[in-house]
Structure formats: structure tokens, C-alpha cells
């Protein structure tokens, strides 16, 4: 079957190749992929891939071989899944605990935009706890996680100030519930109870300085790839006795499938809106990878496998 493999090249990071068909474990179903999403984290791994690793953590498609242990969706079911890797392919094996059936009205392209970014936003909210009435500063807000976080945190009662690269990107975030949108974290007005920081470097330091006393910063990404230097006395410039918390979306007690089911339900009910800034045939994967890396895509990038989607 056909799949994308990493090349290690900075200019052509992936290439088509013929690979073996999936060999599923007993608790895995084989899914014929209709669409897949691109995530910044796996793009960073393309330059130094581990032997045998292939990209692809967000997929949607049709089960063509049900799990042999009897768990999960039946053959023919439309599903969204979150495999650990190898989803940029015609077919992929996915644990049934990370698969969710799709309602009839939800297209594969929208579903493929859900897993990693949606799980991250949902688990950020869970990590933050009760946010009703809190002022929340969200950096890197025009990415996939940022759009979902804006909707989820706003629905939970938070007042969101979103930081985006351009005013045009901010318009969509306002429509999703953002109270204010700025283009530089330094321009965010007032003090904040909570900062959700995904850029790194100078952005993290500035966001920390925007916190009120005993405020909290949850650090969930480093899109700028810039190193961060903090001094002890930075905390006396507003966030005295404040805290910084590292966040990893994989550190969750809730199974992926359970949280994916929540995301699918919210989309089906019109309460969560996947933001797809780029949709292409999978032949364009290499260029889309470059555009996501350079932060030229608003929201999520989704690739369709031939005419299946």
C-alpha cells in the first residue's frame, strides 16, 4: 500500500513509498483512511525520525477489518481515530480504545481535524479546572488547539484574550467567543488569572508578567522553538507566588476514545467547530507540512486520500 515516509530532508520532508499492509494486534482495527490531519509536533519529528516511524496521529475513515478480539466498531463503520503514528497512509491499524464511530452528518474531513488538537484543548480545560469568571490569556490562538480552546473555555465561563499573528485570524476567534484579540502578547490589557502559553521564548516570559498575584501559566507548546530564560525576580513583576505548569496532552487518566467521543458529540451538537484552514489532496502533503511549520495555516490542515472523502 502507499504511505508517506519521512526523508530527513528540510526541503522535502516526506515522500510516497510502498509499505507493508498493517498487521493489527487483537485489539486493533484496520481503517481505510479517508482524511488525515497534520500536527506541528509530528512535523518536528520528521527531521530526526526513529527507525520504522511514520507520521500520522489524526485519521478518519472506514473500518475494513474489525478487531479480532471483538472490541470496537464493526467492519464498515465510519470512524475517527488517534493512532500513535503511521496514519498518513491508505490504511492504518488503530487500537479500538482510540476509535469512535461518527454520526452520519459529520464528514471525514472535519473528524480528521479533531484528535490531537481537540484532545489537547479538552484536557487543557480539565487541567485548568473551574474557569468560570476567570480572565484567560491564550497565545498562539490561531492554531488548531487555540480555536478549540477558545470555544471550550468560553463555554465554561472564561473571558478569553487571544493572541494571533494577524487581525484577520482574530476575527474567527471573536466569532467563537474570544472577548479580545491582540497581535502581541505585550498588548494584552490588564492582569490575568490564567495564561495558556504555546509559543515559548519571549512570549512565555511576557505572558508570565501578565498574570495577577498567584496566577498560573500552563505551558503547552513551543511553536517558536526559542529557548526561554526566566529569573527569580520575574515573578515579582505581577505574578508574585505564581506558578508555571508543564502540560502534555498524553498525560491523561481518561482514554483517548472517551475524550474523542466527547469531541464528536460537541461537534454533532453544533457546540464545537473544527477550523480547517487548509484542505488538499494528500499528494500536497509535503507542501502543507512546510506551510504548517512556517505557521501559514490558520486552524487545522487536512489532507484527503484520493477521492475517498
Amino acid at each position: 500500500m502507499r504511505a508517506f515516509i519521512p526523508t530527513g530532508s528540510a526541503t522535502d520532508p516526506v515522500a510516497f513509498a510502498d509499505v507493508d499492509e498493517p498487521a493489527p494486534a487483537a485489539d486493533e482495527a484496520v481503517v481505510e483512511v479517508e482524511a488525515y490531519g497534520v500536527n506541528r509536533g509530528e512535523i518536528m519529528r520528521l527531521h530526526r525520525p526513529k527507525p520504522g516511524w511514520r507520521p500520522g496521529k489524526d485519521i478518519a475513515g472506514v473500518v475494513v477489518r474489525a478487531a479480532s478480539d471483538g472490541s470496537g466498531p464493526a467492519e464498515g463503520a465510519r470512524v475517527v481515530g488517534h493512532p500513535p503514528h503511521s496514519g498518513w497512509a491508505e490504511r492504518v491499524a488503530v487500537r479500538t480504545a482510540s476509535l469512535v464511530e461518527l454520526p452520519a452528518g459529520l464528514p471525514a474531513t472535519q473528524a480528521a481535524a479533531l484528535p490531537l488538537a481537540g484532545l489537547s484543548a479538552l484536557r487543557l480545560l480539565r487541567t485548568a479546572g473551574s474557569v468560570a469568571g476567570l480572565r484567560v490569556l491564550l497565545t498562539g490562538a490561531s492554531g488548531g488547539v487555540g480555536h478549540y480552546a477558545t470555544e471550550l473555555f468560553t463555554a465554561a465561563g472564561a473571558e478569553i484574550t487571544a493572541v494571533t499573528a494577524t487581525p484577520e485570524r482574530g476575527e474567527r476567534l471573536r466569532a467563537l467567543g474570544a472577548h479580545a484579540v491582540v497581535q502581541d502578547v505585550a498588548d494584552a490589557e490588564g492582569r490575568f488569572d490564567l495564561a495558556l502559553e504555546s509559543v515559548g521564548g519571549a512570549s512565555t516570559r511576557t505572558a508570565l508578567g501578565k498574570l495577577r498575584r498567584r496566577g498560573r501559566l500552563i505551558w503547552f507548546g513551543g511553536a517558536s522553538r526559542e529557548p526561554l530564560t526566566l529569573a527569580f525576580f520575574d515573578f515579582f513583576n505581577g505574578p508574585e507566588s505564581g506558578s508555571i505548569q508543564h502540560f502534555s496532552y498524553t498525560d491523561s487518566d481518561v482514554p483517548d476514545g472517551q475524550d474523542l467521543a466527547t469531541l464528536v458529540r460537541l461537534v454533532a451538537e453544533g457546540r464545537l467547530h473544527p477550523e480547517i484552514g487548509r484542505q488538499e489532496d494528500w499528494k500536497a502533503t509535503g507542501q502543507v507540512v512546510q506551510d504548517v511549520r512556517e505557521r501559514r495555516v490558520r486552524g487545522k490542515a487536512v489532507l484527503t486520500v484520493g477521492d475517498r472523502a
Side-chain angles (χ1 to χ4, degrees):
M1 71 171 185
R2 302 283 277 168
F4 277 100
I5 62 171
T7 64
S9 167
T11 54
D12 296 301
V14 292
F16 267 128
D18 291 315
V19 301
D20 293 337
E21 289 284 346
D27 64 344
E28 292 180 328
V30 176
V31 178
E32 186 171 71
V33 180
E34 295 183 348
Y36 56 81
V38 176
N39 295 294
R40 186 177 299 277
E42 55 193 333
I43 288 175
M44 292 180 180
R45 294 189 61 183
L46 288 174
H47 297 302
R48 295 185 180 88
K50 294 181 179 179
W53 176 85
R54 290 190 278 114
K57 295 173 70 70
D58 293 0
I59 64 98
V62 177
V63 174
V64 292
R65 181 175 172 183
S68 61
D69 68 357
S71 66
E75 185 176 322
R78 297 177 62 251
V79 294
V80 59
H82 189 48
H85 52 74
S86 302
W88 298 3
E90 291 182 301
R91 287 168 291 282
V92 62
V94 187
R95 291 184 64 232
T96 55
S98 297
L99 280 175
V100 174
E101 290 196 47
L102 295 176
L106 184 57
T109 48
Q110 286 194 10
L114 278 175
L116 194 150
L119 291 172
S120 296
L122 182 62
R123 290 168 179 176
L124 272 171
L125 179 58
R126 189 175 294 135
T127 298
S130 176
V131 296
L134 300 189
R135 299 195 73 230
V136 177
L137 178 63
L138 174 63
T139 69
S142 59
V145 178
H147 283 86
Y148 291 131
T150 296
E151 279 201 281
L152 291 173
F153 275 74
T154 298
E159 180 185 293
I160 293 282
T161 293
V163 184
T164 69
T166 66
E168 292 75 22
R169 292 188 174 193
E171 291 176 5
R172 178 57 177 161
L173 293 166
R174 285 186 184 276
L176 295 175
H179 174 77
V181 177
V182 296
Q183 276 63 69
D184 192 310
V185 65
D187 295 331
E189 296 183 355
R191 294 289 182 180
F192 294 87
D193 303 285
L194 175 67
L196 305 174
E197 221 294 299
S198 65
V199 179
S203 176
T204 304
R205 186 172 184 173
T206 304
L208 179 68
K210 292 287 182 178
L211 292 178
R212 63 164 177 80
R213 186 170 183 264
R214 296 177 182 164
R216 180 166 51 142
L217 184 147
I218 300 178
W219 195 359
F220 70 98
S224 70
R225 306 183 196 175
E226 295 177 1
L228 168 67
T229 301
L230 285 177
F232 172 79
F233 294 100
D234 288 337
F235 285 84
F236 290 97
N237 184 28
E240 186 174 357
S241 299
S243 64
I244 297 177
Q245 180 176 355
H246 175 261
F247 171 85
S248 171
Y249 90 101
T250 60
D251 184 18
S252 173
D253 295 328
V254 181
D256 288 347
Q258 185 174 326
D259 276 345
L260 269 177
T262 296
L263 295 169
V264 167
R265 174 176 58 82
L266 291 174
V267 173
E269 293 173 353
R271 298 164 59 191
L272 191 66
H273 300 83
E275 186 70 16
I276 300 175
R278 185 82 173 271
Q279 182 175 315
E280 301 275 1
D281 182 86
W282 70 328
K283 294 176 183 177
T285 295
Q287 183 57 57
V288 171
V289 165
Q290 297 283 31
D291 290 341
V292 172
R293 175 188 291 139
E294 298 303 322
R295 304 170 73 179
R296 293 193 287 262
V297 177
R298 182 186 71 186
K300 290 287 296 181
V302 173
L303 286 303
T304 57
V305 181
D307 58 0
R308 296 178 185 172

